[in-house]
């Protein structure tokens, strides 16, 4: 008899991810989160201390924690605390909205302006100034929020018609069309109501200066709602990044993910634009920075974006205060100056990868 045949070796199975690799990833993510929290604390302290009147950090802490008196304490409590709180809220809202929109549309250059939301808010403010006699920042909030919401609804209604529903391409095209229409409406009102031009220009440049805690009280509930909506679709955004068919295969309802995520992004953008005017590039740049440090898992990307966004806005605001003293450059201008080189670098990187 010949030799007994030997059994074929079992087929090799892919090795599961090692616990060491998962541990290293978690360590890196927790480490970057700690860095982002520290950076936010430093940015908040700078926002409270630096400006036309520089206040020592010890005096800032005394004013906040011990009820200190004097001119420095009044400057901190009455002017810089509201400005800083608005900066944190607006930076987080824009960053979260941009992250959600880039996930929904699978478009790396999507930002809160892609659906015409910012321009809708601008139309609301223009109409409030020109026809409703509203001339205060606290009054602008509701009109800006209403305009942002209506623009978002219009874009989704247009994109959802026809075959395939609201696909990413149709959303982008509908947003571009609505945005162009709203720009025309804004210009038409401003050319016929010249008295509204200066007041609108002050709001439209984008700034966190001159806001008070009344604005914070008006918008924070909407910020909370938008935050909950966006975080609730974090897993859905991860699945959607793999393609619609794969997302459905993983049990995700693509339409629900898009509607809930888009609604959350609309609410967050409405909050930000209503409180501070249209501020560009935070919603574009921050999601890329967040993904660069914690990976593509939206359960980590969204919280990281919520930390980096306020840091970027507060630093831009502080730089704008000290660049040409005693005048100030609005935060919206400074974020655009920062964002344009970032956008150019992103386009060049994508061109090289293509």
């Amino acid at each position: 008899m010949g030799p007994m045949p030997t059994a074929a070796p079992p087929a090799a199975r892919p090795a599961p991810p090692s616990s060491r690799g998962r541990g290293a990833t978690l360590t890196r993510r927790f480490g970057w989160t700690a860095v982002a929290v520290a950076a936010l604390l430093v940015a908040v302290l700078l926002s409270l201390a630096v400006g036309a009147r520089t206040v020592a950090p010890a005096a800032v802490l005394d004013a906040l924690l011990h009820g200190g008196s004097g001119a420095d304490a009044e400057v901190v409590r009455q002017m810089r605390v509201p400005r800083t709180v608005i900066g944190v809220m607006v930076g987080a809202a824009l960053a979260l909205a941009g992250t959600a929109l880039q996930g929904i549309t699978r478009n790396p250059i999507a930002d809160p302006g892609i659906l015409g939301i910012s321009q809708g808010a601008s139309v609301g403010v223009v109409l409030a100034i020109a026809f409703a006699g509203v001339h205060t920042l606290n009054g602008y909030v509701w009109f800006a929020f209403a305009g942002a919401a209506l623009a978002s609804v219009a874009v989704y209604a247009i994109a959802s018609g026809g075959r395939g529903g609201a696909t990413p391409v149709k959303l982008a095209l509908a947003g571009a069309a609505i945005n162009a229409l709203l720009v025309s409406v804004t210009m038409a009102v401003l050319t016929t109501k010249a008295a509204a031009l200066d007041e609108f220009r002050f709001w439209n440049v984008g700034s966190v200066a001159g806001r008070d805690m009344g604005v914070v009280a008006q918008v924070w509930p909407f910020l909370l709602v938008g935050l909950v909506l966006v975080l609730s679709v974090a897993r859905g955004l991860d699945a959607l990044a793999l393609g619609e068919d794969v997302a459905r295969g993983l049990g995700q309802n693509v339409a629900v993910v898009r509607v809930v995520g888009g609604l959350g992004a609309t609410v967050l953008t409405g909050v930000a634009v209503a409180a501070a005017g249209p501020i560009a590039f935070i919603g574009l740049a921050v999601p890329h920075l967040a993904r660069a440090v914690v990976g593509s898992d939206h359960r980590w990307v969204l919280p990281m974006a919520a930390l980096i966004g306020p840091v970027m806005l507060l630093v831009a605001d502080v730089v704008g205060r000290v660049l040409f003293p005693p005048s100030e450059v609005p935060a919206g201008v400074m974020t655009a100056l920062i964002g344009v080189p970032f956008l150019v670098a992103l386009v060049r990187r994508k061109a090289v990868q293509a």
Side-chain angles (χ1 to χ4, degrees), residues 241-267:
L242 302 174
E244 294 184 20
D245 293 337
V246 175
R248 291 190 183 96
L250 293 173
Q252 295 291 332
N253 187 322
V254 173
V256 170
V257 172
R258 283 194 177 134
V259 170
V260 174
L263 180 60
T266 298
V267 172

Side-chain angles (χ1 to χ4, degrees), residues 118-190:
S118 297
Q119 196 58 45
S122 296
V123 170
V125 171
V126 165
L127 296 178
I129 296 171
F131 300 108
V134 177
H135 302 289
T136 65
L137 288 170
N138 287 354
Y140 295 161
V141 167
W142 298 110
F143 287 90
F145 203 94
L150 290 174
S152 180
V153 170
V155 169
Y156 189 81
I158 294 172
S160 60
R163 183 180 301 175
T167 64
V169 173
K170 289 170 68 178
L171 283 169
L173 292 174
I178 291 295
N179 195 69
L181 173 64
L182 294 176
V183 169
S184 299
V185 171
T186 302
M187 293 300 102
V189 173
L190 291 177

